[in-house]
Amino acid sequence: MNVTLTKAELADLLFEKVGLNKREAKDMVEGFFEEIRSALERGESVKLSGFGNFQLRDKPQRPGRNPKTGEEIPISARRVVTFHASQKLKAAVERLTDVDKRA
Amino acid sequence: MTKSELIVRLAARFPQLVAKDTDFAVKMVLDAMADALAQGDRIEIRGFGSFSLNYRPPRVGRNPKSGEKVQVPEKYVPHFKAGKELRERVDIIG
């Protein structure tokens, strides 16, 4: 039963379980992810207890290589997002075996 | 930003909703995401990113206190890959 959860399914859930109308449910899901993006954009980490933390990492420039041509090109300094799952989420996922996961 | 701050911000976006519904909606979304991963499903949020599971094969580890060898079984760990929009908006350096 390996499927992919998307914004559409999350909106359906808010429509069915929370009783938001379709428009509100769609906007709520969009707003949820937009608020997380905005916080990260402001340079704030995002801590969602029970789920996990989104953190920012500043990476310095490092040497890289074009894998096709072998040419050396520097990989510029950048800020990236990292996700650390909570202990609760890690424990829930760890119980899966290859039999459960057929994706 | 914490979960409760996220709820406050969303409540301000939806003044027509009662605060309890916004609170419930946030918890519902997070539970649905955790449940999806816990049953081996992927999550794909366009413009935000995707969550999937990475396989870790069984290995022989060591108890750091006693030095004793222990068999660590195979497992899956959650993995997040930021989407294009998130990557670009966050990267204020590059």
Side-chain angles (χ1 to χ4, degrees):
Chain A
M1 216 186 39
N2 289 114
V3 289
T4 302
L5 182 67
T6 65
K7 285 192 276 198
E9 279 86 49
L10 290 170
D12 284 347
L13 197 69
L14 296 185
F15 171 70
E16 287 162 21
K17 300 270 171 71
V18 188
L20 305 188
N21 69 37
K22 296 250 180 187
R23 177 87 242 167
E24 288 166 342
K26 188 169 180 282
D27 290 350
M28 181 63 80
V29 171
E30 196 52 58
F32 175 91
F33 293 106
E34 178 52 29
E35 289 295 348
I36 298 175
R37 277 194 296 254
S38 298
L40 293 166
E41 192 177 23
R42 291 192 299 272
E44 287 178 35
S45 57
V46 176
K47 299 180 178 190
L48 304 172
S49 67
F51 186 75
N53 297 345
F54 295 93
Q55 279 159 345
L56 296 163
R57 270 182 78 160
D58 289 337
K59 306 181 99 175
Q61 180 183 309
R62 60 191 169 91
R65 204 176 270 283
N66 179 328
K68 271 196 194 131
T69 64
E71 190 192 353
E72 282 214 35
I73 25 167
I75 296 167
S76 61
R78 58 191 63 195
R79 174 171 284 181
V80 297
V81 179
T82 58
F83 173 71
H84 299 274
S86 69
Q87 285 307 319
K88 190 181 164 196
L89 180 58
K90 280 187 195 166
V93 161
E94 211 169 284
R95 287 199 303 268
L96 285 171
T97 65
D98 233 354
V99 185
D100 300 318
K101 190 173 178 298
R102 289 166 301 231
Chain B
M1 183 170 76
T2 62
K3 196 196 297 182
S4 50
E5 286 162 6
L6 171 60
I7 292 167
V8 168
R9 283 181 172 275
L10 280 171
R13 269 179 187 251
F14 298 92
Q16 78 278 20
L17 297 180
V18 292
K20 180 174 62 68
D21 282 353
T22 306
D23 185 275
F24 190 33
V26 166
K27 286 170 183 164
M28 183 75 66
V29 167
L30 288 171
D31 282 352
M33 290 171 69
D35 289 349
L37 291 172
Q39 66 182 53
D41 292 343
R42 285 171 52 81
I43 305 170
E44 268 181 37
I45 308 296
R46 180 82 40 107
F48 184 78
S50 60
F51 296 85
S52 56
L53 299 179
N54 281 349
Y55 178 68
R56 297 278 184 270
R59 61 186 176 86
V60 178
R62 260 175 207 284
N63 179 327
K65 272 197 192 129
S66 63
E68 216 177 322
K69 281 186 184 173
V70 279
Q71 190 63 42
V72 181
E74 61 163 13
K75 64 176 179 182
Y76 285 94
V77 294
H79 176 73
F80 174 70
K81 184 170 187 286
K84 188 163 183 278
E85 185 190 341
L86 178 60
R87 256 196 337 263
E88 290 175 354
R89 283 174 60 180
V90 157
D91 187 13
I92 52 165
I93 304 169

